[in-house]
Amino acid sequence: MLKIEQLEKLRKAGRVSANAREKGIAMVREGAKLLDIAEEVESYIKSQGCKLAFPCNISINEIAAHYTPSINDKTVFEHGDVVKIDCGAHLDGYVGDTAGTVEVGTKRYTELINASKTARDTVMEFIGETCPINEIGRVVDMTIRSKGYAPIKNLSGHQIKQYNLHAGLSIPNYDDGSTELLQRGMIIACEPFATDGEGLIVSGRPGNICRIIRDRPIADLELQEFFNYIKEEFSSFPFCARSCDDPKATQKVNNLVRHGYLSSYATLIEKKKGCVTQFEHTVYIGGRRGEITTLSDSSC
Ligand code: MN
Ligand code: MN
């Protein structure tokens, strides 16, 4: 169980990430730049006294996740795009991880958007202590399939621990036969993905997001200093060059990736180029009923 002061940090990080998500979603419109939205979302998180648990992911259409705009990114939203905003704040390592989906100027994908949202919200009605993990998956799968779509089976929710975004348990989006139960004190991210494609993702191009995978002395002093800065600023969390306070960050990050100190995440693409939607909440398993930490100030 978390102590009350830890729980308060988790709650604040959750609320801030939810408000950031809503700000981002509200800015999505035809012609708007992905970069402007990512920066707005991230500066809001920092303005509230939190740090980024990961860069704001803005993933469009068949890209399920793991894209954040680079510093020179000129990409704009187009009419008909289906946009996932996935953002996270942390306070002393206690994370809020949350996502939502919106369509740009059309209503072609309303049902697909509702499929992942309803799946998540149905899980929110029963998630709590002693909840079987495969029951969450079963409900997500059933909810999405009942609307004629497929859940993405090789993406899942996850347990979160302090300073560890993906820790311990995976929370599947189908019944994987797991016999484990949620336990009091766990922090869980539930994130159903729905698609009109096959229901599998494959790796695409790099999406500008990295994390530290090797912490060893680096011969080049300037690079070592930059590496120290990354460790201090982002800890073990995913980050991107755009968030680094260094004019040569992109070059240095690429260099560290090449030498195996950092790993770069690939974008995750639906195998049949199906359209993908996603909704995500973070939940604290404080008792029989979980507490959703990623509700925004405007949600009732
Ligand atoms: Mn997320
Ligand atoms: Mn997550």
Side-chain angles (χ1 to χ4, degrees):
M1 294 295 287
L2 296 182
K3 295 185 188 127
I4 187 66
E5 62 270 22
Q6 297 170 321
L7 183 55
E8 288 302 334
K9 287 174 183 173
L10 182 71
R11 284 175 173 148
K12 178 170 174 185
R15 195 172 62 249
V16 167
S17 58
N19 289 340
R21 176 198 70 218
E22 293 305 302
K23 270 184 188 296
I25 295 275
M27 284 177 74
V28 175
R29 60 173 63 86
E30 189 177 350
K33 282 170 78 177
L34 277 67
L35 179 60
D36 290 341
I37 295 183
E39 287 185 336
E40 181 71 23
V41 163
E42 293 168 358
S43 61
Y44 170 77
I45 289 172
K46 292 184 231 170
S47 77
Q48 299 302 301
C50 292
K51 286 187 157 187
L52 303 181
F54 50 87
C56 177
N57 284 220
I58 305 181
S59 306
I60 301 175
N61 300 336
E62 74 273 13
I63 304 176
H66 294 176
Y67 184 81
T68 199
S70 65
I71 191 78
N72 299 314
D73 209 310
K74 306 248 183 320
T75 317
V76 296
F77 297 110
E78 291 177 20
H79 187 75
D81 278 347
V82 172
V83 179
K84 282 78 64 187
I85 303 253
D86 189 337
C87 63
H90 81 87
L91 195 52
D92 291 339
Y94 293 99
V95 174
D97 180 6
T98 187
T101 303
V102 67
E103 194 172 354
V104 182
T106 49
K107 292 196 162 59
R108 281 174 60 202
Y109 290 99
T110 306
E111 289 298 311
L112 182 57
I113 290 170
N114 283 338
S116 53
K117 185 170 197 294
T118 305
R120 180 200 63 181
D121 291 342
T122 306
V123 170
M124 293 303 114
E125 288 172 18
F126 68 85
I127 192 168
E129 188 184 11
T130 73
C131 175
I133 286 165
N134 69 328
E135 178 65 8
I136 295 173
R138 193 186 67 79
V139 167
V140 166
D141 183 65
M142 191 183 66
T143 306
I144 292 173
R145 288 196 189 281
S146 73
K147 296 179 187 296
Y149 300 109
I152 295 188
K153 289 178 80 169
N154 57 346
L155 285 177
S156 56
H158 48 98
Q159 194 177 348
I160 301 173
K161 293 179 181 169
Q162 190 186 19
Y163 285 110
N164 197 344
L165 183 60
H166 294 98
L169 298 175
S170 280
I171 311 298
N173 288 322
Y174 66 102
D175 181 350
D176 66 345
S178 159
T179 54
E180 287 197 74
L181 309 179
L182 295 184
Q183 288 167 23
R184 193 180 281 237
M186 284 180 171
I187 304 162
I188 297 292
C190 172
E191 50 182 314
F193 289 81
T195 181
D196 56 6
E198 187 172 333
L200 290 172
I201 47 105
V202 294
S203 293
R205 285 191 280 203
N208 305 315
I209 304 172
C210 295
R211 72 188 160 92
I212 293 173
I213 52 166
R214 188 171 78 169
D215 186 357
R216 297 250 188 84
I218 303 169
D220 183 319
L221 273 182
E222 198 186 348
L223 215 49
Q224 177 73 64
E225 255 178 54
F226 181 68
F227 188 80
N228 294 346
Y229 160 79
I230 290 169
K231 269 206 303 187
E232 170 72 24
E233 184 62 24
F234 307 108
S235 314
S236 51
F237 289 116
F239 71 97
C240 63
R242 179 169 54 74
S243 303
C244 298
D245 185 15
D246 185 321
K248 288 198 264 176
T250 304
Q251 186 194 325
K252 289 177 183 174
V253 164
N254 288 341
N255 213 335
L256 288 168
V257 169
R258 246 194 333 272
H259 288 94
Y261 293 92
L262 304 179
S263 162
S264 164
Y265 290 86
T267 50
L268 305 175
I269 316 279
E270 213 288 323
K271 198 174 170 190
K272 290 257 171 74
K273 298 269 196 302
C275 185
V276 178
T277 68
Q278 172 209 18
F279 282 82
E280 178 175 26
H281 269 321
T282 299
V283 185
Y284 177 60
I285 309 300
R288 201 177 57 79
R289 290 292 306 269
E291 174 185 336
I292 303 171
T293 62
T294 45
L295 295 175
S296 67
D297 290 337
S298 58
S299 43
C300 39

